Amino acid sequence: MPAPSQPPQRLSLREDPNSPRQAKASVRWLRLLALLSIAVPLFIYFVFGVGRYLSAQDDIEARVNRSQRVAHEHTTKVIAASVALQAKALPLVNGKDTRDLRNMEGTLHEALRALTIDQPQIQSILILDAHGRTVASSRLLPFPVVDLSDGEYFRVHREGLRATHLSKPIVTRTSKERVMNLSIDFEDHQGQFGGVINVSLLASYFNNYFGDIVAGDPELTISLFGQGGEI
């Protein structure tokens, strides 16, 4: 009898999972997955981190600009109010003889004191004659005659300045308070340089006001600088 025929063998196209080639491919995929499991979270963290950083920077810049704007506007208003006080004091002394001014010290004192009411930024208003000697003050009556001719707020006007001048901060000789002097000249009865009206602004007023602005943000500092760079 003829031998039974064998069924034809089928060729397998599937690679043996245990073959070296398949094992290497699996290792590569595992390494890629491991790398992605680290890289993807880091990338997401980086993106969110950059976003939060930029947002924080924008917030800081907005707070700084807002605080700076408030401080600048208030300082400008304080200076303007002080200049307005000078304008009100000017008619009291302009065109008068120094001897007449000394004789009316009591009247000048009361008028100057009335101008400083509800003006917490004002330390005092002081009248100096053409030689830099005190004539009247808003704080004391009588005010001792003191030679203040060496003060910047007097010298600039004696040398010819005919406009309002804001001096560098100084410490007063009497009360030892740190002030900035806002001064303007006036004329005597002959139309000559008659002296100076000096409005002293308390540095502590600005310190307290700026401190209130940044009270809720300890990392923020506000400073007031003069044209010469002095604080």
Side-chain angles (χ1 to χ4, degrees):
M1 291 181 63
S5 62
Q6 297 291 332
Q9 294 184 352
R10 295 181 180 179
L11 296 177
S12 176
L13 299 180
R14 181 179 299 176
E15 190 173 354
D16 185 357
N18 295 323
S19 67
R21 182 178 177 182
Q22 186 67 20
K24 290 181 180 180
S26 299
V27 170
R28 285 197 299 270
W29 275 106
L30 289 174
R31 287 177 178 175
L32 179 60
L33 290 175
L35 181 62
L36 290 175
S37 67
I38 297 174
V40 171
L42 286 177
F43 177 75
I44 295 175
Y45 178 80
F46 173 78
V47 171
F48 277 96
V50 170
R52 293 186 62 182
Y53 172 79
L54 294 177
S55 177
Q57 287 294 105
D58 291 341
D59 182 59
I60 292 172
E61 185 176 354
R63 295 204 311 271
V64 169
N65 290 339
R66 181 172 59 251
S67 299
Q68 184 181 41
R69 183 175 62 255
V70 171
H72 179 267
E73 290 177 353
H74 183 74
T75 302
T76 301
K77 290 179 180 179
V78 168
I79 299 297
S82 302
V83 171
L85 290 181
Q86 285 181 332
K88 293 180 179 179
L90 187 60
L92 301 174
V93 297
N94 199 47
K96 295 183 173 60
D97 183 74
T98 300
R99 288 172 295 183
D100 294 336
L101 292 178
R102 293 195 181 280
N103 290 334
M104 55 186 292
E105 181 184 2
T107 303
L108 287 174
H109 165 74
E110 291 300 328
L112 296 176
R113 188 180 65 84
L115 291 177
T116 63
I117 295 176
D118 296 328
Q119 298 291 333
Q121 78 276 13
I122 303 297
Q123 190 259 4
S124 67
I125 302 177
L126 192 63
I127 307 297
L128 306 179
D129 67 14
H131 301 287
R133 294 188 294 262
T134 53
V135 174
S137 167
S138 63
R139 298 193 82 178
L140 296 175
L141 180 67
F143 194 88
V145 178
V146 182
D147 185 354
L148 300 177
S149 60
D150 60 339
E152 175 191 351
Y153 51 90
F154 177 78
R155 287 187 289 103
V156 294
H157 297 292
R158 182 181 58 188
E159 294 169 1
L161 180 65
R162 296 295 179 262
T164 298
H165 175 73
L166 182 63
S167 72
K168 299 176 182 178
I170 64 170
V171 176
T172 61
R173 301 177 185 179
T174 54
S175 63
K176 306 302 180 184
E177 294 172 293
R178 194 165 185 262
V179 300
M180 295 173 291
N181 292 300
L182 191 69
S183 56
I184 193 171
D185 66 294
F186 64 88
E187 296 179 349
D188 63 12
H189 62 296
Q190 295 179 333
Q192 304 298 316
F193 174 62
V196 166
I197 302 171
N198 185 66
V199 178
S200 295
L201 305 176
L202 288 165
S204 59
Y205 171 84
F206 295 97
N207 290 338
N208 294 334
Y209 184 82
F210 294 160
D212 290 340
I213 294 177
V214 301
D217 195 342
E219 297 180 354
L220 185 62
T221 300
I222 298 177
S223 298
L224 180 62
F225 290 89
Q227 291 184 341
E230 63 278 353
I231 299 179

